[in-house]
Amino acid sequence: MYNESDLLYEKSKRYMPGGVNSPVRAFYAVHRNPVFIDHAEGSKIYDVDGNEYIDYVCSWGPGILGHCRKEVIEAVQGTCSKGLTFGAPTKNEYILAELVQEFMPSMEMLRLVNSGTEAVMSAIRAARGFTGRDKIVKFRGCYHGHSDGLLVKAGSGALTQSVPDSLGVPEDYTKHTLVAEYNDTTSVEKLFGEYGKEIAAIIVEPVAANMGVVLPKERFLQGLRRIADQYHALLIFDEVITGFRLAPGGAQEYFGVKPDLTTLGKIIGGGMPMAAYGGRRDIMEVVAPLGGVYQAGTLSGNPVATTAGIETLKLLKQEPGLYSQIEAGTKKIADTIREAFGDKICVNQIGSLMSAFFINEQVVDYKSAVRSDTEAYAAYFNYMLGQGIYLAPSQFEAMFISYAHSEEDIRRTCRAITQYAADMK
Ligand SMILES: *Cc1c(COP(=O)(O)O)cnc(C)c1O
């Protein structure tokens, strides 16, 4: 018996690789067909077969207010009626830039782009242009979009030999990417000891959220700041996930560590394709047309996307209880999982970011994250989906909660978790 989602999936597979426009949507890791979404409202998404789910993916992060927040939708509709794109400056771009700086004072200047991938790629170009150096340090398990030089985890054994993670990326393009271990400042110091004068920047997810959620150890981020300063390299925080989520001012506010450059995405677009990079004025002044680092975009700072971003940020400012509410909901779920599964699961949680790893040890870096039992996660995912609860279809993605999630949503989710754990015993 085929349902509508399965039929659409069969048709989509004829025209798109895996039937999708971003790989994880295909549900390969949880061994079932994806559900096709028709519409959403608040904390819920509805598939084309009429099933309702409590949504804990929230479009992978942008949906911090929940779906279809009236103010955002109405503002977007208003902007649309004035024209979709002009390729010329608009007032919105300045308003958004000013708002971002209010949230994150380190963003003295910024440039709007269309995706997180583009933001990181461009920030690194700016860092290289500013320092006149070629190498960058990234961390194993941190994701910074799919640009060539960043699709690197690590070389086998040797920290300093970076081999591409993807076919189609020449090794020449990744030879300047040095890979360190998350939460291990010694691994960073080693790289700087060897290549210090050639390293333009360290780039890090201040809370790693793309190998599942992994928290930075005490003083880890401060350590990176210190090493960067010592070698006159730049520190780039990739806050595409943590920006406007961990705190209004992102991880840099939460941990009190100031990066030189920051990349933003996801929430900044309020559900539209938009991202940004920015930071110290003297660095950003190397970007064209002021300076010699070229970077451009036909649809960058698009009026519709900036409208969604502005309205979202304004609401984040107006809702003082938002951050404590989404954190409380996340904590309740984290505590329920800990209680239900005991030491079978490692729960990492900070603010409204959370992952439950099916593993009987602490997850502190890539090595420990990948030892998780992904088949156990797949079984858990499938059970929860059957209960009308839509979790990330992979062990290595964060769980996202929005301001629209009600206490009843959280209670229902906790009941399903407790039931599943009891059935497993
Ligand atoms: C999602 C993500 C990106 C890439 O953003 P896209 O908009 O998907 O290109 C970059 N960095 C981090 C930390 C992300 O989570």
Side-chain angles (χ1 to χ4, degrees):
M1 252 295 281
Y2 272 90
N3 57 33
E4 184 71 15
S5 273
D6 290 334
L7 280 174
L8 288 173
Y9 186 47
E10 289 310 314
K11 287 181 181 167
S12 298
K13 281 195 285 191
R14 279 187 235 149
Y15 303 105
M16 290 167 276
V20 293
N21 284 304
S22 197
V24 71
R25 294 180 198 168
F27 278 23
Y28 281 10
V30 291
H31 317 305
R32 55 155 293 148
N33 287 350
V35 291
F36 277 59
I37 304 305
D38 180 68
H39 67 283
E41 181 67 44
S43 63
K44 311 277 186 5
I45 49 175
Y46 299 84
D47 70 17
V48 288
D49 293 292
N51 299 306
E52 175 188 283
Y53 307 94
I54 304 175
D55 180 16
Y56 289 106
V57 175
C58 293
S59 191
W60 307 93
I64 191 167
L65 295 168
H67 297 282
C68 293
R69 189 58 198 236
K70 193 165 139 283
E71 296 91 328
V72 180
I73 301 290
E74 282 175 1
V76 164
Q77 285 167 339
T79 299
C80 285
S81 64
K82 288 165 60 177
L84 297 178
T85 173
F86 316 118
T90 56
K91 186 175 171 186
N92 265 5
E93 292 158 83
Y94 142 77
I95 294 174
L96 181 67
E98 193 175 56
L99 258 174
V100 170
Q101 200 202 78
E102 200 182 310
F103 278 84
M104 273 181 202
S106 77
M107 299 283 271
E108 292 168 3
M109 264 190 164
L110 63 79
R111 173 63 57 85
L112 297 176
V113 293
N114 304 298
S115 69
T117 296
E118 215 187 320
V120 175
M121 188 181 84
S122 310
I124 284 173
R125 188 177 301 154
R128 285 174 166 154
F130 180 77
T131 57
R133 301 172 176 183
D134 287 338
K135 295 199 185 302
I136 57 164
V137 172
K138 82 173 283 286
F139 294 90
R140 197 141 71 117
C142 282
Y143 178 67
H144 303 292
H146 64 86
S147 68
D148 285 336
L150 288 162
L151 282 181
V152 179
K153 256 185 300 207
S156 48
L159 266 178
T160 53
Q161 273 168 26
S162 340
V163 296
D165 272 347
S166 166
L167 295 177
V169 178
E171 274 188 51
D172 278 354
Y173 288 21
T174 59
K175 72 179 182 199
H176 293 304
T177 309
L178 308 172
V179 180
E181 297 298 327
Y182 196 77
N183 273 329
D184 178 0
T185 34
T186 311
S187 71
V188 182
E189 268 160 354
K190 260 195 207 147
L191 293 174
F192 272 88
E194 194 160 345
Y195 301 102
K197 289 199 176 107
E198 297 167 66
I199 298 171
I202 304 172
I203 181 159
V204 67
E205 286 182 79
V207 172
N210 284 290
M211 48 177 150
V213 172
V214 177
L215 278 56
K217 282 186 182 159
E218 181 95 35
R219 316 275 327 146
F220 173 60
L221 299 172
Q222 285 87 345
L224 301 184
R225 178 72 274 176
R226 178 180 51 74
I227 297 168
D229 288 343
Q230 188 185 336
Y231 289 90
H232 305 290
L234 304 181
L235 179 61
I236 307 174
F237 275 5
D238 182 350
E239 297 228 41
V240 168
I241 283 186
T242 51
F244 313 110
R245 177 169 288 278
L246 200 55
Q252 52 199 273
E253 174 187 323
Y254 192 97
F255 295 106
V257 177
K258 190 174 167 188
D260 301 297
L261 291 173
T262 300
T263 55
L264 298 169
K266 300 193 168 116
I267 291 175
I268 196 180
M272 299 293 292
M274 190 168 64
Y277 69 100
R280 266 168 51 191
R281 183 176 305 278
D282 58 334
I283 301 171
M284 288 305 287
E285 281 176 351
V286 302
V287 176
L290 282 183
V293 170
Y294 192 70
Q295 185 271 310
T298 302
L299 292 171
S300 293
N302 172 271
V304 186
T306 48
T307 299
I310 290 167
E311 290 307 312
T312 299
L313 296 193
K314 273 199 209 153
L315 287 163
L316 293 181
K317 229 167 59 164
Q318 283 162 19
E319 307 270 9
L322 181 144
Y323 288 93
S324 55
Q325 181 181 314
I326 57 177
E327 173 162 22
T330 310
K331 269 201 173 125
K332 195 164 274 175
I333 293 172
D335 288 343
T336 302
I337 296 176
R338 286 190 186 108
E339 205 167 297
F341 290 93
D343 60 10
K344 284 205 210 66
I345 285 191
C346 164
V347 181
N348 285 350
Q349 177 260 326
I350 182 169
S352 64
L353 286 169
M354 191 198 95
S355 282
F357 295 92
F358 282 76
I359 192 170
N360 182 13
E361 61 177 289
Q362 291 306 307
V363 175
V364 295
D365 56 13
Y366 181 78
K367 274 196 307 288
S368 41
V370 294
R371 281 200 292 269
S372 302
D373 184 346
T374 53
E375 291 312 311
Y377 183 85
Y380 167 65
F381 168 90
N382 277 286
Y383 174 85
M384 295 296 274
L385 194 70
Q387 300 297 308
I389 296 162
Y390 187 93
L391 303 175
S394 158
Q395 170 74 89
F396 303 112
E397 306 286 351
M399 177 177 191
F400 291 105
I401 291 184
S402 81
Y403 193 43
H405 285 75
S406 66
E407 279 182 27
E408 176 54 25
D409 290 333
I410 307 287
R411 263 199 302 275
R412 247 183 68 197
T413 305
C414 291
R415 268 202 304 274
I417 291 166
T418 309
Q419 188 61 47
Y420 181 69
D423 289 353
M424 266 176 49
K425 277 180 185 148

